[in-house]
Amino acid sequence: MKMKTLAAMALAGTLAAGPALAELVIPDLSYRTGPYAAGGTPFSDGYQDYFALLNARDGGIGGEAVRIVECETGYNTEKGVECYEATKGEGALIYQPLSTGITYQLIPKATADEIPIHTMGYGRTSAANGEVFNWVFNYPANYWDAASVAVNYLLDENGGSLDGKTIALVYHNSAYGKEPIRTLEVLSEMHGFELSQLAVDHPGQEQKSQWLQIRRERPDYVLMWGWGVMNQVAVQEAANIGFPMENFIGNWWAGAEHDVTPAGMAADGYKSLNMNRVVDYPVLADIQSMVHDAGNAAGDGSNLGSVLYVRGMYAAMLAAEAIAKAQEIHGVSAVTPAMVRDGMEALEITAARMSELGMEGIGPEFSVSCQNHGGSGQGLVQQWNAADGVWVPLTDFIQPDDSVTDPLVAEDSMAFASESNITPGCL
């Protein structure tokens, strides 16, 4: 297990000069090794660097220094649980597992321990129902939102009708990859398109049979729920069979630079969802000057500004804002995990606040409540421009079909409540 403390020099100097201060402890369940490291590394870099910026620029959050405790999971569920058990006793305030498999295992544990979990755009979708999942939050959007956003985009591209169209779902054969299936099945019945499902086993390096099937069946569109090396292989296999890239759409974990660059110009035109915009935000310059140039970067600095770096930074911002809200609600700076949960449930992210933080328009405006732990559910569609090596946004944030997703969330969450002997309600 790897431990890392951010802003260690500044904090050590403060501690040496006077009595011990309280710390805001944030675990980072990272994966910098294994087949998913290409995605896990930039996310962790962005996550840690933002907290380092708050320490260097603002003296932490509400006058309390942030201490990051990093633990390597390798995207392995068992190791993820071990990391949770090893770090929770350090005063952990909030967990970001960055794995649906780990999340499913941590939900009962963290609930019993009364430590909040933030699964930003992943995890158990029905945790959006805060009356059942009091300690779990998946704002600003979840996988069922993503499925609906993708279909709404395709509806718009086809004049409002997908009747008679065929859509193939290529998905990671795990809890993560299976999350959108139920929603897509409902949307298929509603909009008259045919849905085929093609599972890809971990880690995703072998996909020839799936893409040969796609070549035979010639679906109108391919949606992908992939991660890590699976994405790179899928893009290359799509190019190998001549599938039109503009009709190939990944979810927001299949739309980073490393997913497309190995295929070179053959990846040009590939599309994906994104839950956050990626532009040259002013906050990135602050991180460069106050964290990287000061020698306190979490990584080697090469990921600054990339899709998943920005997403990790965005996740850290949402955590920091929830902690600040908790401090405001309870009138203390040294908050507890239970207080942070209250801050998360009272969180409101406005356009004005994002601009104030140097992240104008990074995500949609949203608010959280006891009934809604899922945020707005919105996502945008972006397209890879291989010649310039950039993702180009094609849309603004698209609203999912809540008339489809809300009943599914209610059905699944209430089934979980029944199985787990939970009486739904607000804390």
Side-chain angles (χ1 to χ4, degrees):
M1 183 174 67
K2 176 183 177 185
M3 298 291 186
K4 182 179 291 186
T5 303
L6 292 182
M9 293 176 62
L11 184 56
T14 303
L15 294 176
L21 301 176
E23 296 176 317
L24 302 172
V25 178
I26 311 291
D28 179 20
L29 303 191
S30 64
Y31 39 96
R32 299 178 181 274
T33 62
Y36 305 100
T41 299
F43 186 97
S44 285
D45 286 356
Y47 195 65
Q48 295 190 30
D49 283 355
Y50 185 73
F51 288 119
L53 172 66
L54 297 184
N55 280 344
R57 186 189 65 194
D58 306 334
I61 304 171
E64 304 289 350
V66 177
R67 179 166 67 93
I68 296 291
V69 181
E70 181 174 359
C71 186
E72 172 70 33
T73 72
Y75 196 73
N76 176 278
T77 297
E78 183 178 347
K79 289 183 179 178
V81 173
E82 290 173 358
C83 279
Y84 171 81
E85 296 293 347
T87 58
K88 69 179 184 180
E90 300 223 10
L93 294 177
I94 180 175
Y95 278 91
Q96 178 82 240
L98 201 62
S99 158
T100 295
I102 296 173
T103 297
Y104 268 72
Q105 294 301 310
L106 292 190
I107 286 174
K109 291 178 177 291
T111 299
D113 294 333
E114 298 189 343
I115 304 174
I117 299 175
H118 183 201
T119 63
M120 187 174 92
Y122 64 93
R124 183 169 188 140
T125 295
S126 63
N129 183 353
E131 293 193 66
V132 173
F133 297 91
N134 298 136
W135 295 86
V136 188
F137 299 79
N138 53 17
Y139 53 74
N142 58 57
Y143 285 138
W144 297 351
D145 293 326
S148 181
V149 165
V151 170
N152 282 350
Y153 170 74
L154 292 178
L155 282 166
D156 188 62
E157 288 289 287
N158 287 274
S161 175
L162 290 173
D163 190 47
K165 299 290 186 182
T166 56
I167 298 177
L169 172 68
V170 176
Y171 67 94
H172 192 276
N173 194 14
S174 64
Y176 152 58
K178 296 173 183 177
E179 275 288 315
I181 292 175
R182 181 76 179 95
T183 305
L184 289 173
E185 287 173 339
V186 172
L187 292 169
S188 171
E189 295 175 8
M190 176 181 292
H191 296 296
F193 63 85
E194 180 183 342
L195 177 69
S196 62
Q197 303 171 28
L198 302 170
V200 175
D201 290 334
H202 162 85
Q205 291 172 309
E206 180 49 59
Q207 300 181 39
K208 288 193 180 298
S209 63
Q210 290 89 344
W211 287 95
L212 287 174
Q213 184 174 337
I214 288 172
R215 186 172 68 177
R216 288 194 305 270
E217 296 180 356
R218 301 176 62 83
D220 295 291
Y221 298 98
V222 172
L223 300 181
M224 179 166 67
W225 250 249
W227 188 225
V229 69
M230 173 183 165
N231 297 337
Q232 300 173 10
V233 173
V235 170
Q236 186 61 63
E237 292 289 355
N240 291 345
I241 68 166
F243 189 82
M245 284 295 170
E246 65 273 15
N247 293 341
F248 185 13
I249 306 172
N251 75 349
W252 42 55
W253 301 110
E257 294 83 0
H258 63 268
D259 296 324
V260 286
T261 50
M265 288 302 298
D268 189 57
Y270 169 75
K271 298 175 182 177
S272 82
L273 304 182
N274 205 334
M275 70 178 79
N276 57 274
R277 292 188 178 93
V278 181
V279 300
D280 189 15
Y281 296 109
V283 70
L284 294 173
D286 290 346
I287 291 174
Q288 179 67 60
S289 63
M290 299 183 197
V291 179
H292 288 207
D293 292 350
N296 291 322
D300 62 9
S302 63
N303 291 311
L304 182 72
S306 67
V307 169
L308 291 176
Y309 182 97
V310 170
R311 191 168 304 157
M313 178 187 73
Y314 181 33
M317 179 270 276
L318 295 177
E321 291 297 291
I323 290 169
K325 175 59 73 173
Q327 293 171 332
E328 175 189 331
I329 292 171
H330 292 281
V332 297
S333 58
V335 290
T336 66
M339 292 176 184
V340 173
R341 192 216 75 87
D342 294 343
M344 295 173 76
E345 198 165 83
L347 187 64
E348 183 178 8
I349 300 297
T350 65
R353 182 56 178 160
M354 288 184 280
S355 295
E356 185 180 351
L357 293 170
M359 304 183 194
E360 182 177 358
I362 190 171
E365 292 185 294
F366 69 91
S367 60
V368 188
S369 68
C370 166
Q371 292 75 25
N372 176 20
H373 282 192
S376 73
Q378 296 176 351
L380 58 80
V381 177
Q382 62 184 14
Q383 187 171 38
W384 180 244
N385 181 325
D388 296 333
V390 295
W391 288 100
V392 178
L394 299 181
T395 71
D396 200 345
F397 286 103
I398 299 170
Q399 182 68 31
D401 189 343
D402 294 334
S403 70
V404 172
T405 57
D406 286 353
L408 293 174
V409 166
E411 176 188 350
D412 189 78
S413 61
M414 294 310 292
F416 178 85
S418 178
E419 296 164 4
S420 306
N421 295 316
I422 294 172
T423 301
C426 300
L427 292 184

